Amino acid sequence: MTAIRIMTYSVGECRGADGRVEPERIVTVVKETTPDVLAVQDLATTTLPDQLDYLARRLGMRAYSAPQAPGCAWLAYAPLKGVQGYDLGQGGCLLRADLDIDGKRLHLLNLRLTAERSARQRQIATLVGPDLLGDRSLTCATLLLGDFADTFWGAGNLALNLHLKKAVRSFWRGTYPAFLPLIDRDRAYYRGHLQILDSRIPRNAAARQACRHLPLIVTVEVTDPRTFLRTEKLKRSRMEVAPG
């Protein structure tokens, strides 16, 4: 089976520790870690040049976004399918995509929540509701990652832990603020036939200077025994329907 390296990165409109907006510093951090798929949050959506387009061109990756999830995007070398944005209300959003790995399906969910406690709880309630994580069509391995915007453990985290497993359980997992990462705002959760092979947080000087968050990288492997064939791979049946 093929292992996939996936990064989540809340880039803060590409504004570095010195206050300057320099997307190239984000490019440098990503290139050093070489992810196969990148989940980005908090991209600038009203400035030119377009930050998503810039990152895609400099990294040589395909970009995926949706108007319902402003500031969030997927960047990937392999094609993603079923890309759809969801507005969670009060600044929260989610961008879904599906990745096929050697015939195995992986549901990818790129999340951005807001820091205000009551709004965050409502956003998580929507997230675990019947239209998203509770949707019965999400039958394959699922990986949820992004900026969870929390400082302290709260009731919303309990709801997440009831539905998903935390992908990173190491003691030192802080990603925020980058210069002194004490808070694990940037996290990954999973469910289904998925194995977490590795996780790490780059803490070098480049990552600390690029923006206010450090990225989180998880290496995963889909262990689902089922195979999902593309339509064009299905052989046509030789059986014919008898008239009448």
Side-chain angles (χ1 to χ4, degrees):
M1 296 183 183
T2 304
I4 299 293
R5 185 182 294 118
I6 304 174
M7 171 191 279
T8 178
Y9 205 175
S10 183
V11 299
E13 299 186 351
C14 301
R15 189 177 303 278
D18 55 7
R20 291 184 297 166
V21 176
E22 292 188 11
E24 187 61 27
R25 292 193 283 201
I26 302 297
V27 171
T28 298
V29 174
V30 175
K31 282 187 173 181
E32 288 180 351
T33 54
T34 63
D36 301 296
V37 180
L38 171 62
V40 188
Q41 305 90 38
D42 205 14
L43 286 165
T45 58
T46 58
T47 59
L48 293 175
D50 183 87
Q51 290 185 351
L52 178 57
D53 179 67
Y54 181 88
L55 294 179
R57 285 188 291 104
R58 292 289 292 117
L59 294 169
M61 304 173 87
R62 306 181 191 186
Y64 303 86
S65 61
Q68 298 88 349
C72 289
W74 289 106
L75 291 158
Y77 291 113
L80 301 182
K81 300 179 179 180
V83 177
Q84 189 171 358
Y86 299 86
D87 182 359
L88 301 180
Q90 296 180 272
C93 61
L94 179 116
L95 186 65
R96 175 187 167 178
D98 292 338
L99 174 65
D100 290 338
I101 309 169
D102 291 343
K104 312 298 182 184
R105 178 69 50 82
L106 175 60
H107 300 309
L108 295 169
L109 305 177
N110 180 1
L111 178 70
R112 187 191 70 209
L113 299 179
T114 53
E116 200 277 317
R117 180 174 297 182
S118 60
R120 184 175 176 276
Q121 289 183 0
R122 287 191 290 271
Q123 291 163 2
I124 292 177
T126 302
L127 173 65
V128 301
D131 294 330
L132 292 172
L133 286 174
D135 186 351
R136 294 185 179 181
S137 68
L138 265 68
T139 59
C140 304
T142 301
L143 181 67
L144 168 71
L145 68 176
D147 181 3
F148 288 79
D150 54 341
T151 304
F152 301 102
W153 201 92
N157 293 23
L158 176 60
L160 287 171
N161 290 335
L162 288 174
H163 288 80
L164 303 161
K165 299 177 182 178
K166 205 168 185 178
V168 182
R169 297 182 180 274
S170 60
F171 176 75
W172 189 257
R173 54 180 182 264
T175 61
Y176 181 87
F179 68 90
L180 186 62
L182 299 176
I183 305 168
D184 62 335
R185 274 184 55 161
D186 306 272
R187 303 198 294 275
Y189 294 84
Y190 71 100
R191 73 180 182 190
H193 296 276
L194 194 68
Q195 183 177 3
I196 307 299
L197 302 178
D198 182 52
S199 63
R200 64 190 183 97
I201 300 168
R203 297 186 175 92
N204 55 35
R208 291 176 186 269
Q209 289 294 319
C211 65
R212 298 184 66 191
H213 290 246
L214 296 176
L216 167 66
I217 306 155
V218 293
T219 303
V220 305
E221 184 176 79
V222 179
T223 59
D224 193 334
R226 296 170 295 177
T227 300
F228 298 84
L229 295 178
R230 296 188 180 93
T231 303
E232 60 268 20
K233 290 187 177 181
L234 294 176
K235 295 182 179 180
R236 292 186 177 181
S237 173
R238 295 181 179 179
M239 296 179 64
E240 295 182 357
V241 178

